[in-house]
Amino acid sequence: MKSFVGCVEAMEVHKPYVAMLFVQCVYSGMALFSKAAISAGMNPPVFVFYRQAFATLAMAPLAFSLERKKAVPLSFKFLSKVFLVSLTGITLSLNLYYIAINHTSATFAAATTNTIPAITLLLALLFRYENIPIRKMQGIAKLMGAVIGLSGALVFAFVKGPPMKFMNWYPKTNNNDQITPSASYSTLEWIKGSLMMISANIAWSLWLVFQGSIVKEYPAKLRVTTLQCFFSLIQSALWAVAMERNPQAWKLGWNLQLISVAYCGVIVTGMTYWLQIWTVEKKGPVFIAMFTPLALIITAILSAFLWKETLHWGSLGGAILLVLGLYCVLWGKKREEEEDGKTDPNDTKEETIFECITTHR
């Protein structure tokens, strides 16, 4: 009996770790599925439209049933603010992301996610939502982490280096045997995609920064998220219609494209949101952010194994800098919270920024 109770207690202790491992696997799948669907010919704006449609349909029933008691009237001013934030942080960010992933790789998309905390920190400083005590160790760590993380993104994007031969499980015999989305990219195409991916992360970081004031005005976070998905759906529909007039491009069959948009809309936006909320309550927001680099590792391995994606030593160096920068920012933030006595995992401002580092993308 004691051994059974001990096993149950051990399972309870490890639940947050299992949940975060699952979340990072989900985000790896998002990058892989998105890359495959768009490389197969799906128009990026159309992909965003269908993804937001699935996300809205999946989240709306949960939002209205679970947050019934938190509902408050919505003013026109608040709705206008949510509409503009959705336009910048979700619609623009996702469209840039999916256009960029067509010119880069799934691994690069997963890698640049690690720059979001650093970019968010710099934007929060710019808009005076955050301050850095440069005379303290935690302030230096945050600032250096931001610089190192952004440097890592540039190294990953523009410094290839020799290929990692031990990761090349499927040597190519000619240029026509590529069976996957991981075709070789021209230098100009890769630079274009890299700049667009960084721009997408900047737009997403802006969304994170402005969430603090929105959540304070409207405490029902799930409803606000659903509302933003709905506004993004309308915006994405208008943008997709303007960019793609061919009716054939809008058709969804029982194929990889349908699986991809459903996966990104329902699993990524819905399921991982709740898992992260639950983990924040158990372990705090910083615990979630610390698992972010796992998505890069999983994506890189699966891309090399499934899609013959060639990994390079220069990219590995950039990835190490990305992860190092991320942990410097997190360490500095954690030390700052401990000194200020703000270690409550349900703190609204910190939860908004850190729990959303990987959500919705």
Side-chain angles (χ1 to χ4, degrees), residues 31-299:
L32 295 168
F33 275 122
S34 301
K35 175 65 179 176
I38 292 174
S39 296
M42 192 170 190
N43 187 284
V46 174
F47 187 100
V48 175
F49 165 74
Y50 279 119
R51 171 179 170 164
Q52 293 307 94
F54 275 98
T56 304
L57 290 173
M59 296 187 69
L62 293 174
F64 284 99
S65 62
L66 297 178
E67 294 186 335
R68 207 176 308 165
K69 296 180 180 179
K70 293 183 179 181
V72 296
L74 295 167
S75 65
F76 178 77
K77 181 181 178 181
F78 178 76
L79 287 174
S80 300
K81 184 186 294 186
V82 173
F83 184 87
L84 292 174
V85 170
S86 302
L87 178 63
T88 303
I90 301 180
T91 305
L92 178 61
S93 174
L94 286 178
N95 275 280
L96 286 171
Y97 175 86
Y98 287 119
I99 294 172
I101 206 172
N102 196 35
H103 298 286
T104 55
S105 65
T107 303
F108 180 72
T112 53
T113 301
N114 293 284
T115 65
I116 291 175
I119 296 173
T120 304
L121 173 62
L122 295 176
L123 290 174
L125 288 171
L126 180 64
F127 290 102
R128 297 185 178 181
Y129 284 95
E130 187 83 36
N131 59 71
I132 290 183
I134 57 175
R135 295 184 179 181
K136 294 184 178 180
M137 184 61 69
Q138 56 265 35
I140 296 173
K142 287 165 66 179
L143 186 60
M144 289 299 296
V147 173
I148 292 171
L150 293 176
S151 300
L154 295 175
V155 171
F156 194 104
F158 304 119
V159 181
K160 288 283 187 179
M164 300 171 64
K165 295 182 179 180
F166 68 92
M167 292 288 285
N168 187 10
W169 292 303
Y170 299 101
K172 292 187 292 184
T173 56
N174 57 65
N175 291 330
N176 298 320
D177 66 350
Q178 285 289 78
I179 59 172
T180 67
S182 297
S184 59
Y185 308 97
S186 67
T187 302
L188 182 61
E189 190 178 16
W190 184 269
I191 292 174
K192 177 184 175 182
S194 299
L195 294 176
M196 293 185 75
M197 188 67 74
I198 293 173
S199 299
N201 288 340
I202 292 173
W204 182 251
S205 297
L206 275 172
W207 182 85
L208 294 177
V209 170
F210 293 136
Q211 286 307 296
S213 60
I214 289 178
V215 171
K216 286 179 181 178
E217 287 187 48
Y218 199 85
K221 289 183 291 183
L222 188 54
R223 284 198 174 197
V224 170
T225 303
T226 305
L227 184 61
Q228 292 184 53
C229 286
F230 176 69
F231 281 149
S232 178
L233 171 62
I234 297 173
Q235 296 159 358
S236 300
L238 295 174
W239 176 248
V241 168
M243 296 299 294
E244 182 56 76
R245 302 295 181 88
N246 182 10
Q248 295 296 323
W250 290 79
K251 290 185 177 180
L252 282 179
W254 294 97
N255 52 27
L256 179 63
Q257 295 178 351
L258 175 62
I259 295 173
S260 298
V261 293
Y263 179 90
C264 292
V266 178
I267 305 298
V268 176
T269 303
M271 184 180 294
T272 58
Y273 180 88
W274 278 109
L275 281 174
Q276 289 177 100
I277 289 291
W278 178 81
T279 308
V280 163
E281 294 174 351
K282 295 288 184 180
K283 291 286 189 177
V286 176
F287 180 81
I288 288 179
M290 290 178 66
F291 282 82
T292 305
L294 280 179
L296 168 59
I297 297 171
I298 297 169
T299 305

Side-chain angles (χ1 to χ4, degrees), residues 2-19:
K2 288 183 178 180
S3 61
F4 175 75
V5 173
C7 289
V8 172
E9 291 177 351
M11 289 175 63
E12 288 295 325
V13 170
H14 290 95
K15 273 184 180 179
Y17 295 91
V18 175

